[in-house]
Amino acid sequence: NRKDSLYIKSKVIQANTDVNKAFAARNPVVLRSKSSLIQVKKDPVLVDTVNNNNTYPADAYLYPKYTITVDNTYKDFNYYFSVIVDKQGEMQFKRLLTVVSPEFEEAKIRVAKGIINVYLQRLLDITPGNTLGFPHASVISIRVKGIKG
């Protein structure tokens, strides 16, 4: 209804003004490969074996996860991190999603940002997430594996 639309529109304006106010998009980010060097797979919603093998379809848009493989990289790597995808489809590093010793954290973050800039932004066609047709900043999780070529 109109009130819901106005509420979402105000949240969209906030998220697009300050990416730290990003929220889950009802239609999540779409990542498409622009090169044979990169393969993208949206991870399926997991079955909850503890709760009678239930699945929670909302997890597909609340917590979208992608597995990306990049061939012909400068060296082998395997990183798991979250990014904010803004309304223009630009990725911004958010945080590492693996435990890292404090002395290595800064270096790992620098490499993750490099992976975003060198591989993901250049080799992917990124469509931002949207809610009620309004594109907005949202958070996604990415596991990216590089295979030295």
Side-chain angles (χ1 to χ4, degrees):
N1 66 31
R2 180 169 163 68
K3 284 184 181 181
D4 290 340
S5 294
L6 290 173
Y7 174 74
I8 293 298
K9 192 168 187 176
S10 73
K11 298 294 283 179
V12 166
I13 290 168
Q14 289 176 12
N16 289 339
T17 304
D18 179 2
V19 292
N20 292 316
K21 294 184 179 182
F23 64 97
R26 182 60 183 95
N27 300 303
V29 171
V30 176
L31 304 176
R32 282 185 220 88
S33 173
K34 295 193 297 189
S35 167
S36 60
L37 294 175
I38 192 166
Q39 296 83 43
V40 179
K41 183 181 89 168
K42 186 167 192 281
D43 296 350
V45 176
L46 297 177
V47 173
D48 186 350
T49 56
V50 176
N51 292 310
N52 299 321
N53 292 326
N54 290 330
T55 61
Y56 302 99
D59 287 351
Y61 72 87
L62 291 174
Y63 311 106
K65 296 179 179 101
Y66 301 84
T67 299
I68 299 172
T69 304
V70 185
D71 294 323
N72 206 23
T73 59
Y74 69 102
K75 70 176 194 173
D76 290 339
F77 58 79
N78 194 351
Y79 277 77
Y80 187 41
F81 52 85
S82 63
V83 297
I84 297 171
V85 177
D86 68 19
K87 70 178 180 177
Q88 286 86 24
E90 297 291 321
M91 289 184 179
Q92 296 177 29
F93 176 83
K94 182 168 168 110
R95 69 183 181 99
L96 295 170
L97 296 175
T98 53
V99 177
V100 177
S101 296
E103 63 268 20
F104 300 114
E105 187 172 12
E106 188 178 319
K108 293 275 188 186
I109 289 171
R110 192 171 37 254
V111 171
K113 288 179 178 180
I115 291 168
I116 292 167
N117 294 330
V118 172
Y119 297 113
L120 304 184
Q121 284 294 152
R122 292 181 180 178
L123 299 176
L124 294 175
D125 179 27
I126 305 167
T127 304
N130 72 76
T131 303
L132 297 180
F134 303 115
H136 61 82
S138 60
V139 179
I140 62 172
S141 300
I142 297 174
R143 181 174 308 279
V144 61
K145 180 179 181 179
I147 301 170
K148 185 177 178 180

